[in-house]
Amino acid sequence: MNFADPKFWVILLIGITIISGFRVWIPTRLLENWRFDQISLICLGLILLGTVSATSLFVFVYVTCITFLLLKLLTITSWFHAHQRLSISLLLLFQLWPLVLYKYGNFICSDVFLSPVSSLQHLIIPVGVSFYTFQMVGFSIDTLKRRQPLPKWYEFVNFAGFFPQIVAGPIERRDHLLPQIINFRWKWNAFNIDAGFPWLIHGLFLKLVLADGISSLQFADLGRGAYAIWIDNLAFGFRIYFDFAGYSFIALGVAKMLGISLTMNFASPYCAWCIQDFWRRWHVTLSNWFRDYVYFPLGGSRSKLVWVNLLIVFVISGIWHGAGWNFFFWGLYHGLLLVIYHLVGSKISIPKVIQWAVTFILVILSWEFFRSTSLPTLAHNLAEMTNPSAYQLDAIRASYRSILRPEGLSLMILITGCMGVVFLEWLSLKVKNQHYHYFHNNIAMCLMILAIVLFTPITQNEFIYFAF
Amino acid sequence: MHSSSKQQPYFIPRKLIVAVAAVIVSFGISLLYIQYFESDTQLWVAIAESKSEILEKQRANQQSVVLVCGGSSTSFGVEPTKTESNGSTILVNMGLNAGLGSRVLVGYCLTNMEAEDDLLLMVEPGILNDTELITAKGYQFCFAMNDMGLMTWNTNPTWISKQLAFFKSLPYLRPGISSVFFSLALTLLQQPSHYQFEDLRHDGLMVTDHRFDLGDGSIDTAQTISSENLKLLEELAQLLSHNGSNATYAFPWKLTTLQNHKSSIQKRHQFSKMLPNRIAFLFESNDMGVKTDSTLFGDSPYHLTEKSATTRSQLLLSAYEDKSF
């Protein structure tokens, strides 16, 4: 289910046309009896997921069925009330094992226990498994802890597999998404379409023009010095943001057109003025998930081990992003930044623009952990970036020469464009106090469409977060 | 559904209308860009048009014309060469750029062929190993040449087939970010494109003064022809035999290291065995065009120098003469 793949849109349009045909030609009362809106939404979602891969479909169906059946069992038996912790643990075990097997099996055997298993090496991670598993885990905990009633099976399947957000989030919560799913009806609503369309175009622009554009220009050999590494990290930082935010906005837009409001997963994260602010703006639903289901149960900020808890949460968050030591260190780095910020940074008074610059530089540095999957490369690049002698005049000259070649300059022009986009995000907040305001008027929409048509690379790129 | 109580209900989504209009205008701008500003397409269209004119000039007073079809290895590797015995056969360089795709390269020659002309294919093995027969650049080239027959091989297309071909190519008739930004960067740096129209000699051979360190030479490892290209070659052979023309295949010369020399020759042997029966293989020498002398090459392991292009063309023609059809 790749929003950048025209096949997705063709199948979606065909599906919606067929569904609309039923809605027009078959009496509403009959359709209500068949639970037509809910069942057709499930079918469309499963077909779209099935076009990605049979494994992805199978794993999703397994996690959904096992979650619903076990929840049903636990809510009707008195055993649960007597053994609440044990039953939640058992449920989590059944829910999480596909995620652990497919995503971490090879890493655990090869890198942790140093005994590779050949059958695990070739496993392909089912699309969206990290997202919908977490959504269902959250749902299960909310349902059991708050003793909320279970929805009907078809409502639950639609909650777990609402097609715009199934493969890369946002990770929705029961309270927010389930009531909307229960009330969902296929209905032509021009207002909803107008509300969702700018988000869709905005998302496509971020993904196809900026993220894929960087990906197609990033082959430029800018040398191996510290400056080149910083430029590579900057380009990667923009790429991953525009890629993931692009997906999230497309999901948001499609859902809005269907009358469902999803949580905004990104809120101009590169405008953050401290690292804590960054995590309130980056992958918001995942941060909230970890806060509510890991950080708070560990004791939260009232615990004596608050800094340790914070580090634990960020290390787990790092590992959630990928099975590799580099992701472990990425999480640890962010955890440490937050601890340092709470201990020192929040007490120092410095101008906001400097706070922003420091945060931006620290975040760009963090992408080195994310993109260097080999530890020796990571160590080499970090050593280079932190070595003062790597920033001497000769290095500046060499870097300048690399940039002043057509490949280097093309990339720098695009990076400048990306900075412009971030500036517009900041301006939207500053002037209108609304995220992404300036991207959603008619003129901006037309310009983004022009850019999509002209600049989208001919070869297609998958969304980076599909791998997570 | 979200409440829209404060809004007056309306049926037609306004943003959608704006977006549809914007898409149409954007594609119009994109087509204009491809037609008039896309530097690669402009270059190869100008070269193709020149080569067609050169062919017409060469054709005069010749009994038999052999069109040499291929990518830049042909463009930089073959000069018009007449037979020594009676001067009645002439090799004409119709090479363009391998990046257009095999179907377009061959289509360009087919539209320029006349009855009794022969075709000598010198398409790079890597291109014949590719599953994609027309690249985005190929679609753009056909559009800018205003001749969709280059990809359909239909020399007499109907209006409907033209429209179908156009709509099929529409997704590719966009420059893409690298092309636009690269051109912009070249302009800012006041640098010319790597290949220029001025590189085209008056007789159709391309020459360049650029010299690069060619390193280990070509790493082309194709030893098979893709099923898509096999089908294309079969179709070509059938079309040519229907017109009474002959089709031949010769390897372009390529540079390799001494170490890889033997394996490269073996790969080319394997490759030659896959050619359809109706396309004769032109055996020129035991090395199958795999060379280790870097002085024969210019700016790429496939691009010959002007001098070696002369040598190569003579060898090619004498091998062609030896082949009895």
Side-chain angles (χ1 to χ4, degrees):
Chain A
M1 205 183 297
N2 182 351
F3 292 154
D5 184 356
K7 198 169 78 178
F8 166 82
W9 298 102
V10 171
I11 297 172
L12 180 63
L13 280 179
I14 292 172
I16 290 179
T17 308
I18 294 170
I19 290 166
S20 308
F22 274 93
R23 268 238 152 259
V24 170
W25 297 108
I26 297 176
T28 311
R29 226 176 63 187
L30 208 59
L31 292 176
E32 289 291 333
N33 288 342
W34 294 348
R35 311 279 178 217
F36 176 78
D37 294 299
Q38 297 286 336
I39 304 291
S40 55
L41 186 61
I42 291 175
C43 293
L44 187 60
L46 293 182
I47 289 168
L48 287 167
L49 188 60
T51 57
V52 180
S53 78
T55 313
S56 297
L57 180 63
F58 174 77
V59 173
F60 169 74
V61 170
Y62 164 79
V63 179
T64 309
C65 290
I66 204 78
T67 303
F68 189 78
L69 291 175
L70 287 178
L71 276 175
K72 190 96 187 160
L73 193 73
L74 289 174
T75 47
I76 56 171
T77 53
S78 55
W79 186 82
F80 164 70
H81 302 298
H83 308 88
Q84 201 176 16
R85 270 175 183 267
L86 181 65
S87 45
I88 290 179
S89 306
L90 275 174
L91 173 63
L92 292 184
L93 196 70
F94 278 102
Q95 282 178 315
L96 288 171
W97 79 259
L99 175 67
V100 174
L101 173 76
Y102 280 98
K103 194 165 172 178
Y104 304 105
N106 183 44
F107 173 71
I108 292 168
C109 292
S110 305
D111 291 43
V112 180
F113 294 115
L114 303 174
S115 47
V117 178
S118 61
S119 56
L120 291 176
Q121 283 169 344
H122 307 294
L123 282 182
I124 295 168
I125 304 170
V127 166
V129 66
S130 310
F131 292 92
Y132 60 71
T133 304
F134 269 41
Q135 184 161 310
M136 283 191 253
V137 167
F139 178 91
S140 309
I141 294 171
D142 286 350
T143 305
L144 293 174
K145 286 226 159 177
R146 297 186 209 156
R147 301 191 181 177
Q148 289 175 318
L150 257 189
K152 305 269 189 305
W153 69 268
Y154 44 82
E155 291 162 352
F156 176 73
V157 178
N158 275 328
F159 167 82
F162 182 50
F163 73 86
Q165 46 102 224
I166 185 173
V167 295
I171 300 168
E172 288 292 348
R173 306 293 283 274
R174 178 184 167 128
D175 293 347
H176 183 240
L177 184 60
L178 190 64
Q180 297 187 70
I181 288 288
I182 291 170
N183 293 321
F184 173 78
R185 296 288 176 273
W186 291 105
K187 197 173 158 189
W188 178 266
N189 185 324
F191 176 77
N192 284 341
I193 294 172
D194 276 348
F197 215 78
W199 285 102
L200 173 67
I201 299 297
H202 187 187
L204 286 172
F205 169 74
L206 295 185
K207 163 65 184 162
L208 298 175
V209 178
L210 300 181
D212 288 358
I214 290 171
S215 152
S216 66
L217 292 175
Q218 214 180 356
F219 60 84
D221 181 15
L222 299 173
R224 286 160 185 252
Y227 291 108
I229 298 170
W230 275 107
I231 293 172
D232 271 347
N233 280 346
L234 183 63
F236 182 81
F238 279 130
R239 186 183 163 204
I240 196 165
Y241 167 46
F242 294 134
D243 191 281
F244 194 17
Y247 178 93
S248 301
F249 293 166
I250 297 169
L252 200 76
V254 173
K256 263 186 197 292
M257 286 195 253
L258 297 174
I260 302 268
S261 168
L262 295 179
T263 310
M264 204 161 79
N265 226 357
F266 287 88
S268 316
Y270 287 144
C271 299
W273 54 272
C274 68
I275 201 71
Q276 191 182 30
D277 190 30
F278 175 79
W279 280 106
R280 285 190 190 125
R281 295 160 177 262
W282 181 277
H283 205 171
V284 176
T285 54
L286 182 74
S287 303
N288 291 348
W289 193 97
F290 275 113
R291 181 196 62 202
D292 294 348
Y293 300 112
V294 183
Y295 184 65
F296 285 164
L298 284 173
S301 52
R302 277 174 292 178
S303 160
K304 284 178 187 170
L305 299 170
V306 56
W307 309 130
V308 178
N309 292 346
L310 210 57
L311 287 179
I312 291 171
V313 168
F314 272 90
V315 165
I316 298 173
S317 164
I319 292 170
W320 178 90
H321 282 84
W325 289 113
N326 59 315
F327 292 109
F328 172 90
F329 290 120
W330 178 75
L332 187 65
Y333 170 84
H334 271 285
L336 283 171
L337 284 184
L338 263 177
V339 171
I340 294 166
Y341 171 75
H342 280 295
L343 291 175
V344 186
S346 57
K347 295 176 181 77
I348 304 171
S349 172
I350 42 175
K352 252 199 165 152
V353 66
I354 296 176
Q355 287 186 43
W356 169 81
V358 170
T359 308
F360 186 73
I361 290 168
L362 289 173
V363 170
I364 293 303
L365 175 66
S366 80
W367 296 123
E368 182 57 44
F369 294 92
F370 210 90
R371 69 187 188 95
S372 291
T373 46
S374 128
L375 286 186
T377 310
L378 175 63
H380 169 267
N381 287 354
L382 286 176
E384 191 74 13
M385 291 167 91
T386 48
N387 177 9
S389 65
Y391 297 94
Q392 285 172 351
L393 203 61
D394 282 351
I396 295 177
R397 283 202 198 105
S399 188
Y400 184 68
R401 276 196 300 273
S402 307
I403 289 170
L404 283 190
R405 287 185 298 129
E407 297 86 355
L409 193 59
S410 311
L411 181 64
M412 294 314 287
I413 294 170
L414 184 57
I415 288 178
T416 310
C418 295
M419 292 298 287
V421 168
V422 171
F423 175 73
L424 264 185
E425 291 179 4
W426 174 79
L427 211 62
S428 297
L429 277 171
K430 182 86 181 163
V431 179
K432 298 286 175 185
N433 199 22
Q434 192 185 344
H435 288 294
Y436 308 108
H437 174 86
Y438 287 123
F439 292 87
H440 295 171
N441 58 50
N442 281 350
I443 294 171
M445 208 172 71
C446 290
L447 289 175
M448 285 192 288
I449 288 173
L450 178 66
I452 290 167
V453 172
L454 285 180
F455 297 147
T456 300
I458 305 290
T459 39
Q460 220 179 70
N461 284 300
E462 282 227 328
F463 287 89
I464 298 177
Y465 262 67
F466 277 17
F468 304 150
Chain B
M1 291 278 162
H2 272 291
S3 160
S4 56
S5 55
K6 286 179 186 170
Q7 292 280 329
Q8 283 284 64
Y10 54 98
F11 187 74
I12 298 170
R14 294 158 198 165
K15 297 258 182 197
L16 193 64
I17 303 290
V18 173
V20 170
V23 168
I24 293 167
V25 172
S26 301
F27 264 104
I29 293 172
S30 188
L31 294 179
L32 283 175
Y33 185 89
I34 298 292
Q35 184 80 56
Y36 298 109
F37 301 105
E38 214 289 316
S39 55
D40 271 0
T41 309
Q42 295 301 302
L43 173 68
W44 291 107
V45 165
I47 286 174
E49 285 171 347
S50 282
K51 287 198 172 191
S52 297
E53 284 171 22
I54 291 165
L55 172 68
E56 288 316 306
K57 283 182 198 157
Q58 303 281 358
R59 197 189 286 287
N61 304 322
Q62 298 298 323
Q63 283 178 4
S64 169
V65 172
V66 180
L67 282 77
V68 188
C69 169
S72 59
S73 55
T74 303
S75 220
F76 283 89
V78 177
E79 61 178 16
T81 310
K82 292 180 189 177
T83 47
E84 281 179 14
S85 50
N86 56 14
S88 62
T89 303
I90 186 165
L91 289 183
V92 183
N93 183 334
M94 299 299 278
L96 293 173
N97 183 330
L100 301 176
S102 55
R103 195 165 180 90
V104 175
L105 294 176
V106 175
Y108 168 68
C109 289
L110 289 178
T111 52
N112 281 286
M113 272 181 92
E114 289 182 2
E116 306 297 310
D117 285 352
D118 285 349
L119 188 69
L120 172 54
L121 288 167
M122 220 166 74
V123 180
E124 291 80 348
I127 301 302
L128 289 180
N129 184 236
D130 207 335
T131 53
E132 194 181 34
L133 301 182
I134 310 173
T135 62
K137 288 277 177 209
Y139 284 111
Q140 292 172 11
F141 174 77
C142 297
F143 172 76
M145 289 283 286
N146 195 20
D147 189 355
M148 289 299 178
L150 296 178
M151 60 185 193
T152 58
W153 293 4
N154 184 354
T155 49
N156 198 10
T158 60
W159 184 85
I160 290 179
S161 66
K162 271 185 185 174
Q163 304 313 310
L164 283 176
F166 172 72
F167 278 107
K168 190 183 161 200
S169 44
L170 198 56
Y172 304 98
L173 299 180
R174 303 177 298 100
I177 199 160
S178 355
S179 167
V180 178
F181 278 42
F182 200 80
S183 298
L184 184 63
L186 283 174
T187 311
L188 290 172
L189 295 168
Q190 297 181 319
Q191 281 182 17
S193 297
H194 186 59
Y195 295 119
Q196 305 286 303
F197 185 66
E198 289 70 36
D199 294 338
L200 183 69
R201 225 170 59 175
H202 68 280
D203 58 5
L205 176 73
M206 283 193 80
V207 286
T208 176
D209 294 331
H210 283 282
R211 290 288 178 275
F212 290 125
D213 175 15
L214 298 177
D216 285 348
S218 167
I219 50 160
D220 175 46
T221 52
Q223 53 183 340
T224 54
I225 303 176
S226 69
S227 58
E228 290 82 0
N229 268 299
L230 266 178
K231 233 164 103 179
L232 176 134
L233 292 177
E234 291 281 4
E235 187 187 343
L236 173 68
Q238 200 176 2
L239 198 73
L240 291 182
S241 77
H242 186 259
N243 295 344
S245 303
N246 295 308
T248 324
Y249 182 83
F251 279 118
W253 283 7
K254 75 156 185 171
L255 177 67
T256 193
T257 54
L258 266 174
Q259 195 188 355
N260 294 331
H261 193 225
K262 213 170 167 183
S263 67
S264 292
I265 294 172
Q266 278 170 351
K267 279 172 187 165
R268 287 199 156 188
H269 266 293
Q270 289 288 327
F271 187 91
S272 66
K273 284 177 192 161
M274 288 195 74
L275 286 168
N277 288 336
R278 280 188 285 186
I279 295 182
F281 174 63
L282 202 62
F283 185 81
E284 296 166 79
S285 59
N286 287 330
D287 68 5
M288 306 292 274
V290 180
K291 307 291 175 188
T292 52
D293 178 5
S294 64
T295 60
L296 296 172
F297 296 86
D299 66 333
S300 131
Y302 272 107
H303 293 176
L304 300 181
T305 59
E306 196 171 1
K307 194 177 158 197
S308 46
T310 308
T311 315
R312 204 277 140 104
S313 305
Q314 282 159 359
L315 288 170
L316 196 63
L317 187 64
S318 49
Y320 194 81
E321 276 192 307
D322 291 345
K323 193 100 192 168
S324 54
F325 290 104

